[in-house]
Amino acid sequence: MNGASSSGGIRGALSYCVQQVRRYDYHHYLCLLELPANMRKAAFALRAFNVETSRAMDVASDPKIGLMRLLWWLEALDKIYSNKVIEHPVAQALTSVVSEHKVSKSWLKRAVEARINDANRENNDIPQTVEELERYAEDTTSTILYSTLQVGGIKSTAADHAASHIGKASGLLLLLKSLPYHASRNHQFSYIPAKVAEKHGLLVHQSGQSEIKKDSREALCDAVFEMASVANAHLQKARQLAGSVPAEARPVLLPAVPAQVILDSLARVQFDVYDPRLAQGILGAPPLLFQLKLKWYSWRGKY
């Protein structure tokens, strides 16, 4: 009886994970549907974990509450890897995944710790270089891809390298797309590095502090273009590795497709992150076109 109720609880937890990803990370929800059935449940649990931790600061009315939520997840990981019961559907699903597959705890911890460090930053504490944001993107986005490869039992250096590049590209592009949201919330462009801002005349020094100007749309477009070019270079590197990536790993790397869609959408609006067309459809693309593109890449075994 206990076994039956337990399996019912896990089914409910996994169903919750799917719904969360569908609601808050729709483009990755569509990517995960292309995975083989034996990987899908674990992949949804991992992606739901990412949804929970990425939204922790956004849904909290007070930053301290958001930070407490992230710290809760850090403690929860210790319990998950000790197979202790946690009354949270995503944690329950992750516990099931971890007991069934060998998922490295260090990758999931890296993801939460990177978000905690980011949450602890003061609004006026701007990253200095694009490399800092690349590290943040790898820690929060590539780690989910590494973990997904692991649940599929895929051991490939080429796949890991491609996942690293795709995670960096995807993370950078999603930060760029969310610049207006963070600017309205924090009254600051938190994710434009000081060196990039200075190069494009966006950096202002006041009272010993650095701030990024919000009133120069053209200079902002130039800064966004420079950062998007870094993301594009990562996508190109990932695709150059395609010949060495085993066929079973390629569906895991499909998040390269939505990353490319963001890049194309940004190019269409001349890298103006305030252009309302970016908020239309899926990542600025018509939904049917996005789904057809994803299916085409999946069917051809590409990413």
Side-chain angles (χ1 to χ4, degrees), residues 126-130 189 192-205 209-213 219-220 222-224 226-227:
I126 307 164
Q128 290 302 301
T129 63
V130 176
F189 285 126
I192 295 180
K195 285 191 176 178
V196 175
E198 193 159 33
K199 180 179 172 182
H200 298 287
L202 284 167
L203 201 64
V204 181
H205 301 285
Q209 291 183 335
S210 298
E211 265 188 31
I212 294 174
K213 285 196 291 187
L220 178 61
D222 291 340
V224 169
E226 182 173 336
M227 292 172 68

Side-chain angles (χ1 to χ4, degrees), residues 179-181 183-184 189 214 217 220 272-278:
L179 279 174
Y181 167 78
S184 66
F189 285 126
K214 295 205 287 283
R217 196 90 162 245
L220 178 61
D272 181 0
V273 289
Y274 281 96
D275 192 301
R277 285 175 289 177
L278 285 177

Side-chain angles (χ1 to χ4, degrees), residues 150-266:
Q150 206 171 28
V151 299
I154 300 162
K155 293 177 181 175
S156 160
T157 304
D160 287 344
H161 284 164
S164 172
H165 287 301
I166 291 166
K168 285 175 183 174
S170 182
L172 281 174
L173 289 164
L174 287 168
L175 285 177
L176 289 177
K177 191 175 179 295
S178 67
L179 279 174
Y181 167 78
H182 289 293
S184 66
R185 187 178 170 91
N186 305 324
H187 311 293
Q188 172 69 288
F189 285 126
S190 315
Y191 297 108
I192 295 180
K195 285 191 176 178
V196 175
E198 193 159 33
K199 180 179 172 182
H200 298 287
L202 284 167
L203 201 64
V204 181
H205 301 285
Q206 285 181 339
S207 313
Q209 291 183 335
S210 298
E211 265 188 31
I212 294 174
K213 285 196 291 187
K214 295 205 287 283
D215 57 357
S216 179
R217 196 90 162 245
E218 193 176 334
L220 178 61
C221 291
D222 291 340
V224 169
F225 172 75
E226 182 173 336
M227 292 172 68
S229 298
V230 174
N232 182 50
H234 281 298
L235 281 180
Q236 296 307 318
K237 286 173 185 171
R239 291 191 178 122
Q240 284 163 14
L241 290 161
S244 310
V245 171
E248 63 270 22
R250 289 174 199 164
V252 178
L253 303 178
L254 277 173
V257 176
Q260 185 65 54
V261 168
I262 299 177
L263 203 52
D264 294 343
S265 296
L266 282 169

